[in-house]
Short mmCIF file of all heavy atoms in Angstrom, two decimals:
data_model
loop_
_atom_site.label_atom_id
_atom_site.label_comp_id
_atom_site.label_asym_id
_atom_site.label_seq_id
_atom_site.Cartn_x
_atom_site.Cartn_y
_atom_site.Cartn_z
N VAL A 533 -3.51 -4.05 0.71
CA VAL A 533 -3.01 -2.77 0.21
C VAL A 533 -3.71 -2.50 -1.12
O VAL A 533 -3.46 -3.18 -2.12
CB VAL A 533 -1.48 -2.79 0.00
CG1 VAL A 533 -1.00 -1.43 -0.48
CG2 VAL A 533 -0.77 -3.19 1.29
N TYR A 534 -4.62 -1.53 -1.10
CA TYR A 534 -5.36 -1.13 -2.31
C TYR A 534 -4.54 -0.04 -3.00
O TYR A 534 -4.35 1.05 -2.45
CB TYR A 534 -6.74 -0.62 -1.92
CG TYR A 534 -7.63 -0.18 -3.08
CD1 TYR A 534 -8.68 -0.96 -3.52
CD2 TYR A 534 -7.41 1.03 -3.73
CE1 TYR A 534 -9.50 -0.56 -4.56
CE2 TYR A 534 -8.23 1.45 -4.77
CZ TYR A 534 -9.26 0.65 -5.18
OH TYR A 534 -10.06 1.05 -6.23
N LEU A 535 -4.05 -0.34 -4.19
CA LEU A 535 -3.18 0.59 -4.90
C LEU A 535 -3.97 1.33 -5.97
O LEU A 535 -4.47 0.73 -6.92
CB LEU A 535 -2.00 -0.17 -5.52
CG LEU A 535 -1.10 -0.83 -4.47
CD1 LEU A 535 -0.29 -1.96 -5.07
CD2 LEU A 535 -0.20 0.19 -3.82
N THR A 536 -4.10 2.62 -5.79
CA THR A 536 -4.85 3.44 -6.73
C THR A 536 -4.00 3.77 -7.96
O THR A 536 -2.77 3.63 -7.92
CB THR A 536 -5.28 4.76 -6.08
OG1 THR A 536 -4.11 5.51 -5.74
CG2 THR A 536 -6.08 4.50 -4.82
N GLY A 537 -4.64 4.22 -9.00
CA GLY A 537 -3.91 4.66 -10.18
C GLY A 537 -3.62 6.15 -10.11
O GLY A 537 -3.99 6.85 -9.16
N ILE A 538 -2.95 6.63 -11.13
CA ILE A 538 -2.65 8.06 -11.25
C ILE A 538 -3.87 8.76 -11.85
O ILE A 538 -4.49 8.25 -12.78
CB ILE A 538 -1.42 8.29 -12.15
CG1 ILE A 538 -0.18 7.66 -11.50
CG2 ILE A 538 -1.19 9.77 -12.41
CD1 ILE A 538 1.03 7.63 -12.42
N VAL A 539 -4.21 9.91 -11.31
CA VAL A 539 -5.31 10.69 -11.88
C VAL A 539 -4.78 11.46 -13.09
O VAL A 539 -3.87 12.28 -12.97
CB VAL A 539 -5.91 11.67 -10.85
CG1 VAL A 539 -7.08 12.42 -11.46
CG2 VAL A 539 -6.37 10.92 -9.61
N ARG A 540 -5.34 11.16 -14.24
CA ARG A 540 -4.93 11.81 -15.49
C ARG A 540 -6.11 12.58 -16.07
O ARG A 540 -7.27 12.31 -15.74
CB ARG A 540 -4.42 10.78 -16.50
CG ARG A 540 -3.21 9.99 -16.00
CD ARG A 540 -2.68 9.04 -17.07
NE ARG A 540 -1.56 8.27 -16.60
CZ ARG A 540 -0.30 8.69 -16.62
NH1 ARG A 540 -0.02 9.89 -17.10
NH2 ARG A 540 0.68 7.93 -16.17
N ASP A 541 -5.80 13.48 -16.99
CA ASP A 541 -6.90 14.18 -17.66
C ASP A 541 -7.42 13.31 -18.80
O ASP A 541 -6.90 12.22 -19.06
CB ASP A 541 -6.47 15.57 -18.14
CG ASP A 541 -5.38 15.54 -19.21
OD1 ASP A 541 -5.17 14.46 -19.84
OD2 ASP A 541 -4.74 16.57 -19.44
N LYS A 542 -8.45 13.77 -19.49
CA LYS A 542 -9.07 12.93 -20.52
C LYS A 542 -8.16 12.70 -21.72
O LYS A 542 -8.44 11.83 -22.55
CB LYS A 542 -10.40 13.54 -20.96
CG LYS A 542 -10.33 14.97 -21.47
CD LYS A 542 -11.73 15.51 -21.71
CE LYS A 542 -11.71 16.97 -22.13
NZ LYS A 542 -13.07 17.52 -22.29
N LEU A 543 -7.04 13.47 -21.80
CA LEU A 543 -6.05 13.24 -22.86
C LEU A 543 -4.97 12.27 -22.41
O LEU A 543 -4.05 11.96 -23.16
CB LEU A 543 -5.40 14.57 -23.27
CG LEU A 543 -6.35 15.65 -23.83
CD1 LEU A 543 -5.57 16.92 -24.13
CD2 LEU A 543 -7.06 15.14 -25.08
N GLY A 544 -5.07 11.81 -21.16
CA GLY A 544 -4.10 10.85 -20.66
C GLY A 544 -2.90 11.46 -19.97
O GLY A 544 -1.98 10.75 -19.57
#
Side-chain angles (χ1 to χ4, degrees):
V533 182
Y534 180 105
L535 297 159
T536 63
I538 296 170
V539 182
R540 300 184 181 275
D541 65 17
K542 56 188 176 183
L543 300 178

